[in-house]
Amino acid sequence: MNLSVLQNEVMNASDNILIREKLIDFEGQIKKQEGAFVGDNEYCPLKHSFSDGIYVREISIPANTYIVGKIHLHDHPNFLMSGKVDVVTENGIETLEGPLSMISPKGTKRALRTITSCVWITVHKNPTNTQDLSELEKIVIADSYEEYDKFIASQKRLSFVNKILNKFKIRRLQLLG
C-alpha cells in the first residue's frame, strides 16, 4: 500500500472508525517493508529538549520518506519548520509546507510522505518534568485507539466527578458562610 492508495481509501471512507483502521493497516504495511524502522535512528534522528512542564521533540526526515505518527493523548502544538509533506489524518488529506504551525487535536494519528526533507517539532506537556522518554510516552502517547478511547472516557468521568465536587464545595461554603 502506498500513500496515494491510503489517500483514496480515506476519501471514500464513511466514518472515522474506518479511517482509523486504514491508518493502522498502512502503518502495518510500512513496518513490513525492508529497511523500515521504528523510533529514533540515524536516518530520522530525534532531538529531545526539556523545560519546566514542557517536552519538545524534533525530528529531521529525509525527502521521500513515509512516516506514521503516534496517537497523542492531548492537544499540542506542531511546527513544520521546513519542508513539504503530504499528510493523511482522520480529517482528510492535505499538503503542508513549512514554515507553519498548527495545533494537533488529541487523538490525531498521521501518515505522511515527505516531498522534500523536513524538520517537524511537537511540543507536549510534561507535568512531572521527567526526562525519561519511556515515562513521557506514558503521559503523551496511546499505543492504540482502544487505549486512547479508554483514556478519553476516564477523563470525561473525572471531569464529571470534579464538577460535582466543585458544586458540593460551593454549596458547603455557602452553608458555612
Side-chain angles (χ1 to χ4, degrees):
M1 178 183 290
N2 62 38
L3 195 63
S4 60
V5 171
L6 176 63
Q7 289 171 331
N8 290 335
E9 289 182 356
V10 166
M11 286 176 50
N12 295 321
S14 57
D15 62 38
N16 283 353
I17 292 172
L18 184 57
I19 295 170
R20 285 179 172 189
E21 290 172 2
K22 299 296 181 187
L23 285 165
I24 297 296
D25 182 52
F26 184 71
E27 181 176 33
Q29 296 296 326
I30 286 177
K31 287 179 179 178
K32 292 178 186 175
Q33 301 300 312
E34 184 176 329
F37 54 85
V38 176
D40 193 8
N41 62 75
E42 59 196 31
Y43 187 73
C44 291
L46 293 173
K47 178 183 173 192
H48 307 279
S49 304
F50 304 90
S51 185
D52 189 29
I54 297 172
Y55 164 52
V56 179
R57 181 178 172 128
E58 179 179 323
I59 185 170
S60 298
I61 312 168
N64 207 28
T65 302
Y66 291 87
I67 301 266
V68 178
K70 299 182 179 187
I71 304 165
H72 293 94
L73 294 171
H74 310 280
D75 297 346
H76 62 280
N78 282 259
F79 303 91
L80 180 57
M81 302 302 292
S82 62
K84 187 174 183 178
V85 296
D86 285 330
V87 180
V88 178
T89 68
E90 288 180 63
N91 298 322
I93 303 152
E94 57 188 325
T95 299
L96 305 176
E97 188 165 5
L100 68 81
S101 65
M102 62 187 152
I103 300 297
S104 185
K106 58 188 169 193
T108 299
K109 185 173 185 70
R110 290 184 173 84
L112 63 89
R113 179 184 67 87
T114 56
I115 297 168
T116 66
S117 61
C118 67
V119 175
W120 194 302
I121 296 174
T122 58
V123 180
H124 304 279
K125 31 174 125 173
N126 183 1
T128 63
N129 285 318
T130 184
Q131 293 189 17
D132 180 328
L133 297 179
S134 61
E135 259 324 288
L136 271 169
E137 290 236 340
K138 293 175 189 172
I139 296 168
V140 174
I141 303 295
D143 290 328
S144 67
Y145 282 114
E146 293 79 13
E147 183 181 317
Y148 170 74
D149 290 339
K150 286 180 185 175
F151 173 80
I152 294 303
S154 72
Q155 294 299 300
K156 286 180 182 176
R157 282 191 300 277
L158 184 59
S159 176
F160 177 74
V161 168
N162 284 337
K163 284 179 186 177
I164 290 173
L165 289 175
N166 284 336
K167 284 183 181 183
F168 176 73
K169 199 182 302 180
I170 291 168
R171 286 188 185 137
R172 185 177 169 136
L173 287 174
Q174 289 171 345
L175 290 174
L176 294 175

